[in-house]
């Protein structure tokens, strides 16, 4: 009994579809998904794997079948039949890929929008909010004294506030004063970002972390507490907003498990928002060639439960205060507090006049 070709085509189509669906969901090519946004990106990636697997099996199957079915047999020295083309077939194999590409494009845009990447007004927003990029000077100084700063506006206070910014932030703030950047378009503005999801647009994130990239390290500052560290800690289930800039050249903030990547650009602020969902230690990688030691520019991102995160914050605050107290305790008698603490505070953007005001 000869099986009709239409039946064979149907059976082969069913097998290819099932094989593509299975491999698209079980390819194992991605690391674990550690954020809510990763689920959306994985769905897009799996859909592309399903389509590409199906196309690969069809193309390779036709090639193997044709090579075997139409091979030259022994003793066959005749020319092959002249084939001038098949217009319906050519239209079909052009239209189907076009439809697939358009479908993936629409799906990709929807995912990009759902993770907060599409904001047509972001590039036209006002220059970066320097308060959100404040570095640890004020919080560090607060550990020395409980005296609240004067609220009276004056020139000295403005200089003090400026001094309590870290060098990277000061460079961003004064980017228009840098000769090579003075005429650059968009200097000091907000770069395209991956912001809040559509349901969270306009709402502040539950946790802010300021990130500065420099050759060849990452610095993390928590503006609410003034903690500065080389290791980022975030709690599970809390939306995190990363405000980024670079101190020298372009870097890129990339955590594969979060499925998010964003450039850190000198003179501009870029943003990423994500919600961690899986505890663990993840590697932050610079994904932009930034110099000869680019491959070593890595940091650890710790995703932990809320209780563990709160405990870490308290430990960091206590450790900072103990370190300062120990430094003061061993201060030689012939050095003033300002002179002795200067080496410890220079890299944190705290100027001598600030220490003098705090100690008064």
């Amino acid at each position: 009994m000869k099986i009709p070709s239409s039946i064979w085509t149907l059976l082969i189509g069913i097998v290819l579809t099932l094989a593509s669906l299975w491999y698209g969901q079980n390819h194992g090519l991605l690391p674990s998904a550690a954020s809510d946004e990763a689920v959306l990106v994985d769905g897009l990636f799996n859909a592309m794997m399903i389509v590409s697997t199906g196309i690969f099996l069809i193309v390779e199957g036709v090639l193997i079948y044709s090579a075997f079915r139409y091979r030259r047999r022994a003793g066959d020295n005749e020319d092959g039949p002249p084939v001038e083309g098949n217009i319906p077939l050519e239209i079909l194999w052009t239209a189907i890929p076009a439809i697939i590409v358009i479908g993936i494009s629409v799906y990709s845009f929807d995912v990009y929008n759902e993770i907060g990447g599409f904001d047509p007004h972001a590039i036209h927003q006002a220059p970066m909010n320097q308060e959100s990029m404040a570095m640890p000077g004020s919080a560090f100084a607060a550990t020395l004294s409980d005296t609240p700063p004067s609220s009276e506006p004056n020139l000295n206070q403005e200089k003090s506030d400026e001094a309590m910014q870290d060098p990277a932030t000061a460079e961003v703030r004064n980017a228009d004063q840098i000769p090579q950047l003075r005429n650059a378009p968009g200097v000091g503005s907000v770069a395209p970002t991956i912001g809040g999801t559509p349901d969270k647009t306009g709402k502040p994130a539950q946790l802010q972390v300021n990130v500065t990239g420099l050759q060849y390290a990452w610095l993390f500052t928590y503006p609410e507490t003034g903690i500065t560290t080389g290791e980022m800690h975030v709690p599970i289930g809390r939306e995190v907003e990363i405000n980024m800039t670079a101190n020298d050249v372009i870097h890129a903030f990339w955590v594969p498990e979060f499925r998010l990547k964003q450039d850190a650009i000198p003179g501009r602020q870029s943003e990423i928002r994500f919600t961690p969902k899986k505890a663990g230690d993840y590697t932050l990688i610079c994904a932009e060639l930034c110099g000869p030691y680019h491959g070593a520019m890595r940091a650890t991102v710790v995703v932990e439960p809320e209780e563990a995160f709160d405990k870490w914050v308290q430990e960091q605050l206590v450790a900072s205060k103990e370190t300062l107290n120990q430094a003061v305790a061993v201060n030689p008698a012939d050095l003033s507090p300002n002179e002795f603490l200067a080496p410890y505070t220079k890299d944190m953007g705290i100027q001598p006049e600030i220490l003098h005001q705090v100690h008064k």
Side-chain angles (χ1 to χ4, degrees), residues 179-199:
Q180 62 269 33
L181 297 177
R182 186 177 295 125
N183 298 321
V187 168
S189 61
V190 179
T193 64
I194 299 178
T197 55
D199 60 317

Side-chain angles (χ1 to χ4, degrees), residues 56-77:
F56 173 81
L57 293 176
I58 291 174
V59 172
E60 294 302 317
V62 171
L63 285 175
I64 294 173
Y65 172 79
S66 299
F68 178 79
R69 175 68 176 79
Y70 301 104
R71 71 189 185 280
R72 179 183 176 185
R73 268 101 174 159
D76 184 4
N77 296 320

Side-chain angles (χ1 to χ4, degrees), residues 300-327:
T300 300
V301 178
V302 180
V303 178
E304 54 195 357
E306 187 81 26
E307 299 77 10
F309 174 75
D310 293 338
K311 181 180 179 181
W312 175 81
V313 170
Q314 294 302 319
E315 290 175 349
Q316 294 299 309
L317 293 174
V318 171
S320 298
K321 193 166 185 177
E322 288 180 351
T323 301
L324 179 61
N325 291 336
Q326 291 174 2

Side-chain angles (χ1 to χ4, degrees), residues 89-148:
L89 182 60
E90 292 175 2
I91 293 175
L92 181 66
W93 69 35
T94 300
I96 292 178
I99 294 173
I100 292 174
V101 170
I102 292 173
I104 291 177
S105 300
V106 173
Y107 188 11
S108 301
F109 178 80
D110 181 64
V111 171
Y112 184 63
N113 184 47
E114 286 297 318
I115 65 176
F118 179 67
D119 185 357
H121 305 292
I123 196 64
H124 303 295
Q125 291 175 356
M128 71 178 64
N129 180 2
Q130 294 304 325
E131 293 180 0
S132 68
M133 294 296 290
M135 293 297 276
S138 56
F140 184 81
T143 63
L144 297 175
S145 172
D146 293 330
T147 305

Side-chain angles (χ1 to χ4, degrees), residues 13-334:
I14 293 175
V15 172
L16 290 178
T17 300
L18 292 176
S20 300
L21 288 171
W22 180 85
Y23 185 75
Q25 300 293 332
N26 300 276
H27 50 75
L29 298 176
L30 296 175
S32 61
S35 70
D36 291 347
E37 292 74 15
V39 177
L40 298 172
V41 177
D42 287 0
L44 172 61
F45 186 85
N46 291 344
M48 291 191 294
M49 285 300 299
I50 291 171
V51 173
S52 58
T53 300
I55 293 176
F56 173 81
L57 293 176
I58 291 174
V59 172
E60 294 302 317
V62 171
L63 285 175
I64 294 173
Y65 172 79
S66 299
F68 178 79
R69 175 68 176 79
Y70 301 104
R71 71 189 185 280
R72 179 183 176 185
R73 268 101 174 159
D76 184 4
N77 296 320
E78 298 181 358
D79 293 335
V83 177
E84 297 183 358
N86 188 318
I87 294 179
L89 182 60
E90 292 175 2
I91 293 175
L92 181 66
W93 69 35
T94 300
I96 292 178
I99 294 173
I100 292 174
V101 170
I102 292 173
I104 291 177
S105 300
V106 173
Y107 188 11
S108 301
F109 178 80
D110 181 64
V111 171
Y112 184 63
N113 184 47
E114 286 297 318
I115 65 176
F118 179 67
D119 185 357
H121 305 292
I123 196 64
H124 303 295
Q125 291 175 356
M128 71 178 64
N129 180 2
Q130 294 304 325
E131 293 180 0
S132 68
M133 294 296 290
M135 293 297 276
S138 56
F140 184 81
T143 63
L144 297 175
S145 172
D146 293 330
T147 305
S150 173
S151 60
E152 180 181 355
N154 54 62
L155 182 59
N156 291 333
Q157 182 64 38
E158 292 177 1
K159 291 182 178 179
S160 298
D161 292 339
E162 184 172 337
M164 289 159 63
Q165 304 283 341
D166 83 310
T169 306
E171 181 176 339
V172 173
R173 183 178 62 253
N174 301 320
D176 58 333
Q177 303 300 321
I178 302 176
Q180 62 269 33
L181 297 177
R182 186 177 295 125
N183 298 321
V187 168
S189 61
V190 179
T193 64
I194 299 178
T197 55
D199 60 317
K200 297 179 181 177
T201 301
K203 300 178 182 179
Q206 296 173 296
L207 176 65
Q208 286 192 350
V209 183
N210 298 332
V211 178
T212 301
L214 64 156
Q215 296 173 314
Y216 298 92
W218 296 99
L219 295 179
F220 309 99
T221 300
Y222 296 77
E224 294 181 359
T225 58
I227 294 173
T228 298
T229 178
E231 180 178 271
M232 187 168 75
H233 286 241
V234 292
I236 296 175
R238 191 191 298 185
E239 187 185 31
V240 181
E241 176 182 326
I242 304 294
N243 296 309
M244 283 186 295
T245 188
N247 197 38
D248 34 45
V249 299
I250 297 178
H251 301 280
F253 182 102
W254 180 43
V255 181
E257 289 81 4
F258 296 163
R259 310 290 193 270
L260 297 174
K261 185 176 83 70
Q262 181 69 48
D263 286 347
I265 307 172
R268 305 187 76 175
Q269 174 186 331
S270 50
E271 173 189 326
I272 284 183
R273 286 198 186 193
F274 63 92
T275 303
K277 71 170 190 175
K278 185 177 181 181
D281 294 352
Y282 306 104
T283 302
L284 166 59
I285 303 170
C286 177
E288 194 77 35
L289 182 60
C290 58
Y293 300 101
H294 158 73
M297 186 172 171
R298 301 192 172 204
T300 300
V301 178
V302 180
V303 178
E304 54 195 357
E306 187 81 26
E307 299 77 10
F309 174 75
D310 293 338
K311 181 180 179 181
W312 175 81
V313 170
Q314 294 302 319
E315 290 175 349
Q316 294 299 309
L317 293 174
V318 171
S320 298
K321 193 166 185 177
E322 288 180 351
T323 301
L324 179 61
N325 291 336
Q326 291 174 2
V328 174
V330 298
N331 182 10
D334 58 340

